[in-house]
Amino acid sequence: MPGHFEPTPGGGAAVTLDEVEISIIRSLAVQLLELVGPGPGGDAPADPLAELFADGPTEPPADPVLRRLFPDAYGGPGEAPTKPEEAAELTERSSEFRRFTENDLRARKREDALAVIRALDGLTTDSNGGAVLRLAADDSRRWLGSLNDLRLAIAARLEISDEDDADLLYRLSDEDPRKPMVMAYLWLGGLQETLVTTLMP
């Protein structure tokens, strides 16, 4: 899947996608949307003001993909505390941070995924089964956020945590059941990289 983003006048970007590529991205974005969920109050909150000030969760998600999408704010890899009291303090700080930020982060990820789905639904393919996706600068940023989320989700499913893990992907045999997911991961990485380039001044 050789498609890559190119800059357009006004700070936007464009990419040619075929029907298979459109279907893959849309399917992954829908799955991401379902995984992130409708939010704390569902699709239609009775009191939007109360929803705005609702506390978020304080515990990390159980699902490894959601843990990758919504990581703890404190105590990342290589920062393991040496004393129990330090561990307790890090846990408390992470819980407080999560409580006040995760709802907003989930909302942003939902909006990004919805922007991707709507953009793809608005495409009309030509006689060759291809379509040109054109994004304004703001849409490019939403797409960039969603492409990043999709790659994080796939990386979590593939148990990729560092560059060494990623290097192993290139050596998988064609018979490996992970191969289609790996190909999607690498292809999305190419799209993400070229989209970043279009946003550079």
Side-chain angles (χ1 to χ4, degrees):
M1 297 180 219
H4 60 275
F5 281 98
E6 295 184 358
T8 59
V15 62
T16 301
L17 300 170
D18 64 32
E19 289 176 326
V20 173
E21 294 168 332
I22 292 168
S23 176
I24 290 171
I25 298 173
R26 191 186 187 287
S27 175
L28 290 172
V30 168
Q31 290 176 55
L32 178 66
L33 198 58
E34 291 171 351
L35 186 64
V36 170
D43 293 321
D47 184 352
L49 187 61
E51 186 84 356
L52 181 64
F53 293 102
D55 284 349
T58 58
E59 296 295 323
D63 186 291
V65 173
L66 289 175
R67 277 201 306 274
R68 186 74 64 95
L69 293 172
F70 305 104
D72 278 333
Y74 301 97
E79 300 175 31
T82 56
K83 300 177 181 177
E85 58 269 22
E86 291 175 352
E89 183 182 347
L90 276 180
T91 299
E92 184 176 345
R93 288 168 60 194
S94 290
S95 294
E96 281 297 292
F97 187 84
R98 184 179 296 279
R99 182 162 69 98
F100 291 113
T101 61
E102 186 169 313
N103 285 348
D104 288 342
L105 188 56
R106 280 181 183 264
R108 192 177 80 229
K109 291 182 185 299
R110 281 193 298 274
E111 289 165 6
D112 290 349
L114 279 170
V116 168
I117 293 166
R118 288 172 181 146
L120 295 176
D121 286 349
L123 292 178
T124 302
T125 55
D126 59 25
S127 58
N128 295 319
V132 178
L133 172 70
R134 291 183 174 84
L135 302 174
D138 286 345
D139 295 325
S140 291
R141 290 181 185 87
R142 287 195 179 280
W143 266 73
L144 188 58
S146 202
L147 287 173
N148 186 61
D149 288 341
L150 292 175
R151 292 192 79 235
L152 286 173
I154 294 173
R157 291 291 186 237
L158 291 171
E159 299 181 348
I160 299 169
S161 58
D162 56 34
E163 287 299 319
D164 290 338
D165 292 336
D167 288 343
L168 293 174
L169 300 180
Y170 291 97
R171 297 196 287 274
L172 287 180
S173 70
D174 290 341
E175 291 74 32
D176 193 301
R178 296 170 295 172
K179 189 75 172 188
M181 198 180 298
V182 167
M183 296 302 292
Y185 176 79
L186 297 174
W187 172 59
L188 291 173
L191 282 177
Q192 183 181 13
E193 185 177 339
T194 57
L195 185 54
V196 167
T197 302
T198 69
L199 291 170
M200 292 179 176

